[in-house]
Amino acid sequence: MKILVTGAAGFIGSNFVYFMLEKHPDYQIVGLDLLTYAGNLKTLKTAMEHPNFTFTKGDIADRDYIFHLFETEKFDIVVNFAAESHVDRSILDPGVFLRTNIIGTQILMDACREYGIERYHQVSTDEVYGDLPLDRPDLFFTEETPLHTSSPYSAAKASADLLVLAYHRTFGLPVSITRCSNNYGPYHFPEKLIPLIISRALADESLPVYGTGENVRDWLYVKDHCEAIDLVIHKGKVGEVYNVGGHNERTNLEVVKAVLHELGKPESLITYVGDRKGHDMRYAIDPTKISNELGWEPTIKFDDGIKMTVQWYLDNREWWEDIINGDYQNYYQTMYSNRS
């Protein structure tokens, strides 16, 4: 079995590579990544030493490159993690999100049709559903929840999802989709909430929290997510969407305080900044379908997962300190300097 993993040098993609190499040591894994700002080849350093892993640098939106790759490698399964994924960046520059997240998805599926793959799997997000009110904790996103996007990022991901389902219905392409809640764990890029708080707290710097910090997210430890995708690509029904949630709802403020507690840092580092445009209030996924059909359940509770995550960042300081360079600092200043 040969699997193409796009976005392999990113956060979830790299974790999936390591998961699959351990779970299926006889599989051949080809990692593809354009190595833009969030793709870090050092993340795959250990994978590079595995005899069944190879890496190729390329753009999923480059049709000639993708078709040549498929012609050469003869993949059985494609798992598409490749995406521009940061909401704030999508507000600053929507165009690149449309190119990668929509056109890139189309080109991958065209190649899948041409070369007859067994399964194309799209990794999506709960953000395509929009948000839920804070005063209705009984409401959850199901696979039947209408798509109602709030940002250029989530709109691009929803568009890709609809395109994937259209390729299944129109062309009979064997597809599946997972929509997950917020992931956390090793190799998370430092601009995202948990690693941002860890890195800044260790430096005793202020910790920016949007609005009042009441926005709620459902947190999923990344290894649980990888397990779910593995189940779906092997046992999930073609043409189906599966929600993958962690049963770990926390406000942003609770998450920040949990990190500070693990690091032994004071809550006085917290600084409240102006809220993000179109900021969704609450995400909460109902994973009943994947549980009933495939037997998947999240195994890592948030309190345990945050301990493991903080420890990983303490043990791997060189990895994230190398990322926090001038370009990242310029981004940080752009996003937060005028929000006081």
Side-chain angles (χ1 to χ4, degrees):
M1 184 74 71
K2 181 179 282 190
I3 299 181
L4 173 65
V5 179
T6 71
F11 167 41
I12 309 176
S14 61
N15 275 277
F16 185 71
V17 165
Y18 286 118
F19 177 88
M20 295 299 284
L21 289 173
E22 180 179 354
K23 180 79 175 289
H24 305 284
D26 56 327
Y27 284 16
Q28 291 179 277
I29 308 294
V30 176
L32 167 66
D33 203 290
L34 187 55
L35 299 179
T36 54
Y37 78 95
N40 183 1
L41 196 55
K42 290 179 69 175
T43 300
L44 295 172
K45 181 179 180 181
T46 303
M48 297 286 199
E49 300 169 359
H50 197 288
N52 283 357
F53 177 78
T54 56
F55 176 81
T56 180
K57 180 182 178 182
D59 184 356
I60 64 170
D62 183 337
R63 180 174 291 270
D64 290 341
Y65 169 81
I66 289 297
F67 271 66
H68 177 73
L69 180 66
F70 274 66
E71 172 73 29
T72 303
E73 296 289 349
K74 305 294 191 296
F75 301 114
D76 299 297
I77 296 174
V78 174
V79 182
N80 182 27
F81 291 93
E84 298 288 342
S85 64
H86 196 268
V87 173
D88 285 336
R89 287 182 181 270
S90 80
I91 295 170
L92 291 174
D93 183 12
V96 67
F97 284 72
L98 306 187
R99 180 181 184 275
T100 299
N101 299 2
I102 303 174
I103 301 302
T105 296
Q106 178 215 347
I107 289 172
L108 283 173
M109 290 193 296
D110 285 344
C112 289
R113 291 181 60 212
E114 179 73 18
Y115 295 101
I117 57 93
E118 296 177 15
R119 177 70 65 95
Y120 172 85
H121 183 75
Q122 179 77 0
V123 181
S124 188
T125 170
D126 60 357
E127 294 188 47
V128 300
Y129 297 122
D131 64 351
L132 297 166
L134 292 178
D135 60 354
R136 288 294 306 276
D138 57 311
L139 295 180
F140 295 88
F141 297 136
T142 72
E143 290 80 2
E144 285 72 43
T145 300
L147 305 188
H148 187 68
T149 60
S150 302
S151 69
Y153 160 61
S154 58
K157 291 296 289 185
S159 299
D161 285 6
L162 293 174
L163 192 62
V164 170
L165 295 175
Y167 265 58
H168 170 63
R169 183 166 182 174
T170 302
F171 304 116
L173 188 69
V175 307
S176 51
I177 297 173
T178 47
R179 293 174 179 153
C180 68
S181 53
N182 280 35
N183 280 217
Y184 67 106
Y187 300 114
H188 206 174
F189 194 72
E191 72 182 357
K192 298 301 179 80
L193 178 62
I194 290 176
L196 176 70
I197 296 305
I198 293 172
S199 63
R200 292 186 66 83
L202 286 172
D204 294 314
E205 296 175 334
S206 63
L207 310 180
V209 173
Y210 282 133
T212 60
E214 294 178 355
N215 305 70
V216 173
R217 300 294 181 261
D218 176 22
W219 292 91
L220 177 68
Y221 193 69
V222 66
K223 188 174 182 180
D224 280 336
H225 186 194
C226 294
E227 178 73 45
I229 295 172
D230 180 47
L231 279 170
V232 171
I233 63 176
H234 287 99
K235 299 180 180 179
K237 294 178 182 177
V238 168
E240 293 292 318
V241 176
Y242 294 91
N243 282 351
V244 185
H247 292 306
N248 288 305
E249 287 189 54
R250 297 289 190 282
T251 68
N252 288 345
L253 187 58
E254 286 174 333
V255 171
V256 172
K257 289 182 177 181
V259 171
L260 289 174
H261 175 75
E262 289 301 317
L263 292 172
K265 294 291 185 175
E267 294 181 6
S268 58
L269 292 174
I270 296 172
T271 301
Y272 297 95
V273 299
D275 209 352
R276 165 195 289 163
K277 296 178 180 178
H279 200 179
D280 290 335
M281 293 306 299
R282 173 176 172 255
Y283 302 149
I285 274 187
D286 179 358
T288 299
K289 179 178 178 178
I290 192 172
S291 176
N292 289 345
E293 292 189 11
L294 303 179
W296 178 87
E297 293 285 350
T299 62
I300 306 297
K301 300 298 184 183
F302 182 79
D303 290 343
D304 297 326
I306 206 69
K307 290 178 186 292
M308 293 188 292
T309 300
V310 168
Q311 191 59 51
W312 187 89
Y313 278 86
L314 291 174
D315 293 340
N316 294 272
R317 292 186 68 130
E318 182 181 359
W319 178 85
W320 55 267
E321 286 178 345
D322 285 349
I323 294 174
I324 302 178
N325 53 29
D327 179 63
Y328 178 79
Q329 291 299 328
N330 290 338
Y331 163 76
Y332 181 88
Q333 289 298 320
T334 300
M335 291 312 305
Y336 293 114
S337 60
N338 296 318
R339 289 183 175 273
S340 58

